[in-house]
Amino acid sequence: NYCVVVHPSSTVVCARNIILSSFITEYHVMSSSLIGVRDHVTTNDNVELVVESFGSTAPSATVVLLIHGWSGSRRSFKANAAAIAALSPNVRVVTYDQRFHGDSAKPEWGHHVARLAADLHAVLTTLNLADVTAVGTSLGCAVLWSYVELFGQERLGQLVFVDQAPLQNRVPDWELGSKGCYDTVSYAGLVRALNAGMKQFANGNVLACATLPLSADLLAVLEEDTLKCSADDLAALMYDHTAQDWRRILPRITIPVLNVAGAQSAIFPPEGVHVVGDLCVDGVNVTFERSNHWLYMEEPEKFNAMLLKFATDGERPSNGARL
């Protein structure tokens, strides 16, 4: 909203109209990036996924694909998707709800990371996206790793991983996994928390995953979309996710990788997250000093600027940078 006061002098009126016209043109160009265009993709097992795009529709646009984590949705990127698109006129940002999440379908089957990776393939091919900078957050990282295992680096140009260890469970040669779900006993505790009530679980999730304050609007979205999930679906998906060991797959990733950890993460130790960057052929590790697991929500301006530089110019912070 804006208010214009016009002086009675025709000369001033003319000058101010020119300025106002220029302002309105620039405003509408920026606004077009902020309005998401909603679509859907149907997978090969006939499951409908909701997709939303922001920014440029030009074939030459740089494409950034944001993949949310467990119990989230495309709206988890409320502080990122439109904002990144608005920063550059030649960037397209695509988000989607994974199955069992948000507004996408919730079938009775498919509670496997590999199935979510096949869904990602459907999104990329249906929308004909190529040379994509794909960003996985938490579970979204595992979806990308599974995608590489199944489809190689097809349609991918660069990868960003946000706060996910290559294995959540603890095993004899690995103690750097999840702090909260790492064996059968802790998994059973997670299931009890889900079954105790999704609203209570949503509130606890915020306390665990965010150290810095989030906006009231974003908190409302996170709760609303967590409540769209079912406890049974989330439990079944986590059962598969937490046991997957991606350490042998990561060295097969040869495209540039930006791997980001939250120093304050209550979900993973940063040392475990850094192993991801170390195992990728061209990986760079970066740590957000003040942030938790949801670092892209907690410090969106810093995250968005870093991601945009990587997507458009291939520029990454130095390996081991602490921001």
Side-chain angles (χ1 to χ4, degrees):
N1 294 328
Y2 52 85
C3 178
V4 179
V5 179
V6 180
H7 193 278
S9 163
S10 60
T11 303
V12 177
V13 169
C14 180
R16 292 190 176 184
N17 282 346
I18 291 171
I19 294 170
L20 178 59
S21 175
S22 175
F23 170 78
I24 290 174
T25 300
E26 183 177 348
Y27 176 82
H28 282 313
V29 168
M30 182 177 290
S31 294
S32 67
S33 298
L34 301 177
I35 300 171
V37 177
R38 183 165 162 165
D39 201 350
H40 72 274
V41 166
T42 302
T43 66
N44 62 357
D45 62 340
N46 204 35
V47 170
E48 189 170 292
L49 307 177
V50 171
V51 179
E52 194 167 10
S53 299
F54 301 82
S56 177
T57 57
S60 61
T62 297
V63 179
V64 175
L65 176 65
L66 304 175
I67 307 171
H68 68 79
W70 181 81
S71 80
S73 78
R74 71 189 193 282
R75 299 199 303 165
S76 299
F77 302 108
K78 181 179 176 63
N80 312 106
I84 293 169
L87 290 173
S88 174
N90 195 41
V91 170
R92 178 184 183 187
V93 181
V94 180
T95 63
Y96 70 101
D97 291 338
Q98 301 200 70
R99 69 172 64 200
F100 313 120
H101 295 80
D103 298 317
S104 286
K106 299 167 178 64
E108 295 181 359
W109 65 90
H111 299 83
H112 306 282
V113 175
R115 179 62 256 183
L116 302 187
D119 293 348
L120 169 59
H121 187 260
V123 170
L124 292 170
T125 54
T126 302
L127 301 182
N128 194 26
L129 304 178
D131 197 26
V132 172
T133 297
V135 182
T137 63
S138 197
L139 169 65
C141 297
V143 172
L144 284 168
W145 301 335
S146 183
Y147 179 95
V148 170
E149 181 178 38
L150 295 171
F151 304 103
Q153 295 170 150
E154 175 187 329
R155 297 181 177 269
L156 303 176
Q158 304 180 118
L159 295 172
V160 180
F161 305 132
V162 178
D163 210 58
Q164 175 69 45
L167 170 61
Q168 293 204 166
N169 281 352
R170 296 175 184 172
V171 293
D173 69 337
W174 179 254
E175 294 289 332
L176 297 175
S178 171
K179 296 180 179 180
C181 185
Y182 49 82
D183 59 15
T184 55
V185 174
S186 57
Y187 170 76
L190 176 65
V191 173
R192 285 195 298 272
L194 288 167
N195 289 330
M198 292 298 290
K199 185 177 177 64
Q200 179 180 338
F201 177 79
N203 294 334
N205 215 20
V206 172
L207 294 175
C209 296
T211 297
L212 300 178
L214 306 181
S215 71
D217 286 349
L218 180 54
L219 288 171
V221 163
L222 293 171
E223 179 177 298
E224 181 181 339
D225 284 351
T226 300
L227 293 176
K228 292 178 182 178
C229 302
S230 85
D232 288 346
D233 285 337
L234 291 181
L237 187 56
M238 181 57 73
Y239 183 82
D240 182 75
H241 171 44
T242 196
Q244 298 295 331
D245 187 348
W246 302 105
R247 288 177 290 172
R248 294 186 180 183
I249 295 299
L250 292 173
R252 299 179 63 82
I253 300 175
T254 58
I255 56 179
V257 165
L258 178 57
N259 184 54
V260 192
Q264 308 305 319
S265 179
I267 309 302
F268 296 104
E271 299 81 4
V273 175
H274 292 160
V275 170
V276 172
D278 294 339
L279 288 176
C280 295
V281 172
D282 186 11
V284 166
N285 287 319
V286 174
T287 304
F288 275 34
E289 289 276 25
R290 302 172 60 234
S291 297
N292 199 321
H293 188 58
W294 287 345
L295 58 92
Y296 55 99
M297 301 186 204
E298 297 172 87
E299 299 187 85
E301 293 84 3
K302 183 164 73 175
F303 182 82
N304 296 347
M306 181 183 68
L307 175 54
L308 184 65
K309 285 183 180 179
F310 184 42
T312 57
D313 301 325
E315 182 181 337
R316 292 173 284 183
S318 59
N319 190 28
R322 305 185 74 85
L323 306 178

